[in-house]
Structures are given as C-alpha cells and as structure tokens.
Amino acid sequence: MALVAALRSVSKSYLLGDYEVPALRGIDLEIHEGEFTVIMGPSGSGKSTLLNLIGCIDLPTAGEVVVCGQSTTAKKENELAEIRRTSIGFIFQAFNLIPVLSVYENVEYALLLKRIPETERDAMVKTILEEVGLGDYRHHRPNQLSGGQRQRVAIARALVSQPRIVLADEPTANLDSATGRSILELMQRMNQRHKTTFIFATHDPEVLAFAQREIHLHDGQIRSDSARREKVAKSHKSQRRKK
C-alpha cells in the first residue's frame, strides 16, 4: 500500500511562559493508504498534536513530517493550506458546522474552496449526503439536527472532496454510545468504499473494536503499535453474513 504520511524522528514542544513543554518526543511512524488507525492515550499524551502535524496545521520542532509525498518542514503557510485543501479532510469533536448554512451548503463549502464547477459540485454533494443517510435533510440547518446527524454532516464534508486522509479528533466524544457506534460503522463503510485513510485520536475504547491498527501514546512517545487486521477481517465477514 502507498505511504500517505510519515514522521521521522519527530519532536514537538510548546513554550509555556519561560518553559518548554514537550508534546511529542522522537516519533517514528508510517501510515499507509486505506488504513483505519486509532491513536489512543490519556489526556496530554500527544494525540491531538500528532494529528495536527499530519494535518499540516502545525510543524515539528525537530524531525521531518511527510504528507502525501511532501515534506512539510520548510513549507510556508499557503503551501500547507494547499496540502490541507487538496489531500486532507477533518472531523471534529464539536462538529464545527456553520450554523447559518444548510446541510447541503456546509458540505458544498469544501468544494467551493476547490473551485469545482456548480453542476459537478451539486452531483458530488447529493451523492455523499445519500451515502451518509442525509439525502432528505439537505435543506435543514445544523440546529435542526441531532448530534449523530450533525456528525454525519461533518463526515460528508470531510469526504466530499475525496481526500487521501481523514483525521478525526474525538469524533464520538459528544455522542451517546449507540449513536457513537453508528457513526463508527458509517466511517468504517466509507473507509472500505472510498479506500480513504482514517486516523482517529480518541479516549473512547469503543473505537478500538473498529481499528485495523492501534497506536498507544504516553508522555509524547509511542508505547505500542499493533495491527489488528485479522480481527477486522473477521468482523467484515460477520457483517456480510448479517446482510
């Protein structure tokens, strides 16, 4: 499988007053196309910092980050923005929908940034909304939706531009367990259908049941990195039998 992200001897520190606080220390990591990876760890372990580096939101203090074949280390902000715009989708804990826009317009916004023609945009938005089960809700505003529906809009927005990577920071944190599980099942289907790489940062142990790969962080370092492909393959067979 193609390599979509790599971190090589990466460290990241932040200044807090006169003190330098390490967030990541000596991270070596490769993420491949189509993986469904979960990054676990306690608060302060570096999960969100790791996502920010892969998402070209932040730059390492030391080491190199390569995203979709491009080293981010010496990139200017406009160059990082271009990588985000063309290659990365984001799903947030708080949904981050624009309240004055409809479901359709929230999803379409990602395509407006890419200057995709209107007819093509319309087809892409309607298709992805059908895929996430919101075809009949495209004229609703976010405040007319449940938490689960809002997160489905966020998933549609992240996927509509066909990114190579989707980064999800605590995507189930604001949802009840049943809704959270349905959202994870949806993202797993999208991963299988579109071959998009999903990387999650989460505290939620429920997410592990869906992971192909578990990466555990502690104090800014990788403590374990294990593939769970056999379990996922069995899960997929079980799902097919149920259908």
Side-chain angles (χ1 to χ4, degrees), residues 88-98 102-104 106-108 110 128-129 132 134 142 145-161 163 166-169 171 175 183 186-187 190 198:
I88 304 171
F90 296 89
I91 300 171
F92 302 96
Q93 175 180 341
F95 317 130
N96 286 18
L97 303 179
I98 301 172
S102 67
V103 166
Y104 180 100
N106 266 280
V107 176
E108 182 190 33
I128 197 68
L129 287 176
V132 302
L134 291 175
L145 304 175
S146 68
Q149 289 170 329
R150 293 182 195 186
Q151 196 61 293
R152 286 172 181 266
V153 178
I155 293 168
R157 181 185 57 193
L159 287 170
V160 69
S161 58
V166 169
L167 303 175
D169 196 358
L175 306 174
I183 290 298
L186 171 62
M187 287 192 281
M190 297 295 101
F198 276 76

Side-chain angles (χ1 to χ4, degrees), residues 74-85:
K75 296 287 188 188
K76 298 177 181 177
E77 177 51 41
N78 65 314
E79 295 173 317
L80 294 172
E82 181 66 12
I83 298 173
R84 292 194 299 269
R85 187 177 68 85

Side-chain angles (χ1 to χ4, degrees), residues 29-157:
L29 177 65
E30 292 186 345
I31 303 289
H32 292 85
E33 189 173 46
E35 286 188 351
F36 203 76
T37 297
V38 173
I39 301 170
M40 295 285 291
S43 180
S45 62
K47 301 186 301 298
S48 294
T49 300
L50 184 55
L51 285 194
N52 287 343
L53 294 178
I54 296 172
C56 300
I57 294 171
D58 210 345
L59 294 173
T61 304
E64 182 183 33
V65 177
V66 178
V67 179
C68 298
Q70 299 189 65
S71 177
T72 68
T73 307
K75 296 287 188 188
K76 298 177 181 177
E77 177 51 41
N78 65 314
E79 295 173 317
L80 294 172
E82 181 66 12
I83 298 173
R84 292 194 299 269
R85 187 177 68 85
T86 58
S87 302
I88 304 171
F90 296 89
I91 300 171
F92 302 96
Q93 175 180 341
F95 317 130
N96 286 18
L97 303 179
I98 301 172
V100 298
L101 299 184
S102 67
V103 166
Y104 180 100
E105 291 165 337
N106 266 280
V107 176
E108 182 190 33
Y109 189 73
L111 301 179
L112 290 171
L113 295 175
K114 298 183 76 169
R115 300 184 178 88
I116 292 174
E118 183 178 359
T119 302
E120 188 178 351
R121 284 201 316 269
D122 183 64
M124 293 172 74
V125 173
K126 287 179 178 177
T127 297
I128 197 68
L129 287 176
E130 288 292 339
E131 286 190 37
V132 302
L134 291 175
D136 293 334
Y137 291 83
R138 60 180 180 269
H139 300 302
H140 287 59
R141 296 284 176 85
N143 64 0
Q144 297 173 306
L145 304 175
S146 68
Q149 289 170 329
R150 293 182 195 186
Q151 196 61 293
R152 286 172 181 266
V153 178
I155 293 168
R157 181 185 57 193

